[in-house]
Amino acid sequence: MGLTNSTRRKLSLLIITAILCTFLAFIFLLYTERITTISRFKLNCPKRNSADDRALESDSMDNPGDDILDFDPDECSVNHGKWMFNSSIKPLYTDRTCPYIDKQYSCIKNGRNDSYYLHWEWKPDDCMLPRFDPEVALRKLRGKRLMFVGDSLQRNQWISFICLVESVIPKDKKSMKRGHVHSVFKAKEYDATIEFYWAPFLVESNTDIPIKSDPKQRIIKVDSISQRAKNWLGADILVFNTYVWWMSGLKTKALWGEFENGEEGYEELETAVSYRVALRTWANWIDSTIDPSKTKVFFTTMSPSHQKNKEWGNVNGIRCFNETRPVTKKGHWGTGSNKEMMNVVASVMRRMKVPVAVLNVTQLSEYRIDAHTSIYGELQGKLLTDEQRADPLHFADCIHWCLPGVPDTWNQLLFAYL
């Protein structure tokens, strides 16, 4: 049976309408895509396909498209990724342009003649870290106190942060006051301070000042923190760490109560047990003292040491000495990072009432066997002698990091969280 003229007209009208709607939808999509790009639409850690990955291998993070990406820590696992070489990248500072770098971290100035380690960028698998923008960082810190609390690796990160921002501050608008325990950098026009507080165990000990070089003489007061922590009050952003000082032996000397009778009365405990008690003391202070509406709290996970070259396959090497490239084996994990200690951190954090943002720097740092100060640092406040440099087995520092270097990436992550 054929279609009537009326039916044919209705079908034609429907077809024309569908074509018109499709055309208008196409125009609308083009328009909204343009508006999205212009208005810096927020994307929460977008997934990348293989084509994106290939493009990233050849492009730097200077791609303008990166600026529209908002980092979402809940959707981005920063410890899963890879270091990618980018010869065009230029650090925001050098150990010659930043006047605040300790000699301990000034590798180029101290004679390191390769710069390959400066041109690696950390690329998480499922998102993109925003570039560190000094002016934006300072605006975020306007009227605030940012305080790093912990050991010499936390000082490594503190100096990195200062060097990342100080070049955009006029000379007469910044100052530095150093102390044995508490040091303060001021950005005067922003009414901001970037501070460091020396507390290698976070809790009190008999070895903070002066430092006892013999670990067997160190006694940790695992239940006491208030005398130290009162100096952290009033900070708007607190960034803590503690790890490497705990790793001097299988057991530590722990003390409850006062240092009485010549520090007698301590007990030798498994290191992980002492660590847990001390972290609980810290966590209790945070929960009972910190108002999360006024103060953000961060905890930087352990920074790995690279002492055993056989762990990354260089059987003819000497610890981290003369390493020039990161480890490429996915998920590489050496004995310099203790998973039991990391699990202690996780279990303590889970029980806390005050939210603590964890800066998970361990896995990304595990790959960077090439970026330690090695023989280009200090020993007990003095640069290594020629004789000491010729003996990297005993004198290479495979714990601390050159600046510029890996701690800049830690601060890139902190910047993203801020």
Side-chain angles (χ1 to χ4, degrees):
M1 180 180 291
L3 298 173
T4 64
N5 290 336
S6 175
T7 301
R8 289 193 186 96
R9 284 196 295 272
K10 289 180 179 179
L11 285 173
S12 298
L13 182 60
L14 287 172
I15 292 170
I16 293 171
T17 301
I19 293 172
L20 181 60
C21 288
T22 301
F23 177 74
L24 290 174
F26 179 70
I27 295 298
F28 177 76
L29 286 172
L30 286 177
Y31 176 76
T32 55
E33 182 174 321
R34 179 174 177 81
I35 291 299
T36 296
T37 303
I38 292 174
S39 63
R40 298 168 66 88
F41 184 71
K42 293 185 178 181
L43 300 175
N44 290 332
C45 285
K47 299 287 183 181
R48 300 198 298 245
N49 57 33
S50 58
D52 293 329
D53 286 331
R54 288 193 295 272
L56 283 170
E57 290 187 17
S58 59
D59 294 341
S60 73
M61 289 187 74
D62 289 333
N63 187 326
D66 289 353
D67 289 342
I68 69 170
L69 302 176
D70 273 4
F71 174 82
D72 186 341
D74 294 329
E75 297 188 20
C76 179
S77 180
V78 296
N79 55 318
H80 297 292
K82 56 187 173 183
W83 288 97
M84 300 175 68
F85 187 76
N86 179 359
S87 59
S88 65
I89 189 174
K90 292 183 178 180
L92 292 174
Y93 66 95
T94 72
D95 60 2
R96 296 186 183 277
T97 61
C98 181
Y100 306 111
I101 300 181
D102 293 341
K103 289 182 181 179
Q104 184 179 14
Y105 316 126
S106 300
C107 297
I108 298 295
K109 188 185 289 187
N110 293 341
R112 182 167 180 168
N113 56 17
D114 72 288
S115 60
Y116 203 71
Y117 71 98
L118 296 173
H119 300 285
W120 294 92
E121 296 175 305
W122 179 248
K123 303 283 188 177
D125 289 337
D126 57 359
C127 64
M128 297 180 71
L129 287 176
R131 293 169 298 176
F132 191 100
D133 187 316
E135 293 182 348
V136 172
L138 286 167
R139 287 201 296 271
K140 288 175 181 287
L141 295 178
R142 187 181 296 278
K144 295 180 179 179
R145 293 176 62 198
L146 164 61
M147 180 181 286
F148 294 87
V149 180
D151 56 28
S152 57
L153 287 158
Q154 198 74 336
R155 182 165 57 225
N156 218 170
Q157 185 179 359
W158 167 67
I159 293 175
S160 161
F161 198 101
I162 291 172
C163 290
L164 286 168
V165 301
E166 68 87 21
S167 64
V168 300
I169 306 173
K171 191 173 183 178
D172 61 341
K173 299 292 185 180
K174 58 190 173 185
S175 66
M176 172 72 88
K177 182 179 180 181
R178 293 216 184 225
H180 291 300
V181 174
H182 189 194
S183 299
V184 181
F185 173 84
K186 289 185 178 181
K188 298 176 183 178
E189 63 181 317
Y190 292 91
D191 188 27
T193 61
I194 304 168
E195 307 174 34
F196 173 71
Y197 192 93
W198 170 252
F201 296 108
L202 295 185
V203 293
E204 296 174 22
S205 76
N206 68 343
T207 183
D208 296 353
I209 297 293
I211 294 173
K212 294 183 183 296
S213 57
D214 182 1
K216 294 180 180 179
Q217 297 180 3
R218 297 172 182 173
I219 301 175
I220 307 165
K221 196 174 179 183
V222 292
D223 67 337
S224 183
I225 198 172
S226 59
Q227 288 302 309
R228 180 164 280 97
K230 66 183 181 182
N231 297 284
W232 312 337
L233 295 172
D236 301 277
I237 304 165
L238 285 166
V239 187
F240 295 95
N241 93 316
T242 183
Y243 170 67
V244 70
W245 275 54
W246 295 89
M247 304 311 296
S248 58
L250 296 177
K251 292 189 175 183
T252 53
K253 294 178 179 178
L255 181 71
W256 284 262
E258 299 296 328
F259 282 117
E260 295 177 345
N261 302 321
E263 301 175 355
E264 295 179 1
Y266 66 81
E267 294 184 33
E268 286 199 1
L269 301 177
E270 298 291 332
T271 295
V273 174
S274 292
Y275 190 59
R276 183 182 296 275
V277 176
L279 276 186
R280 283 179 175 172
T281 298
W282 167 81
N284 289 338
W285 181 85
I286 294 289
D287 283 341
S288 63
T289 311
I290 294 299
D291 181 349
S293 68
K294 297 179 180 179
T295 303
K296 292 182 179 179
V297 182
F298 294 86
F299 191 93
T300 305
T301 62
M302 56 193 178
S303 173
S305 62
H306 292 104
Q307 312 286 2
K308 299 180 180 180
N309 44 285
K310 290 183 180 179
E311 292 181 347
W312 55 86
N314 186 2
V315 295
N316 296 318
I318 304 175
R319 301 168 67 202
C320 66
F321 174 67
N322 263 358
E323 296 290 354
T324 58
R325 289 174 175 267
V327 175
T328 57
K329 181 182 177 182
K330 195 76 171 178
H332 167 75
W333 193 280
T335 53
S337 298
N338 187 297
K339 288 188 176 181
E340 182 182 10
M341 301 288 275
M342 203 161 189
N343 289 335
V344 169
V345 174
S347 65
V348 170
M349 299 290 178
R350 280 195 297 267
R351 293 176 173 84
M352 294 181 68
K353 294 182 294 183
V354 173
V356 177
V358 177
L359 299 180
N360 194 343
V361 305
T362 306
Q363 181 65 81
L364 65 90
S365 304
E366 267 286 0
Y367 300 115
R368 295 306 306 274
I369 58 174
D370 59 313
H372 290 289
T373 55
S374 185
I375 61 170
Y376 304 105
E378 290 183 323
L379 179 65
Q380 296 179 349
K382 296 181 180 180
L383 292 176
L384 297 186
T385 64
D386 291 341
E387 291 78 12
Q388 290 170 331
R389 289 187 178 188
D391 185 12
L393 180 63
H394 296 100
F395 292 100
D397 181 352
C398 298
I399 296 175
H400 300 97
W401 306 92
C402 297
L403 291 179
V406 170
D408 299 335
T409 300
W410 303 350
N411 283 320
Q412 185 183 1
L413 179 58
L414 175 60
F415 172 75
Y417 273 81
L418 292 177

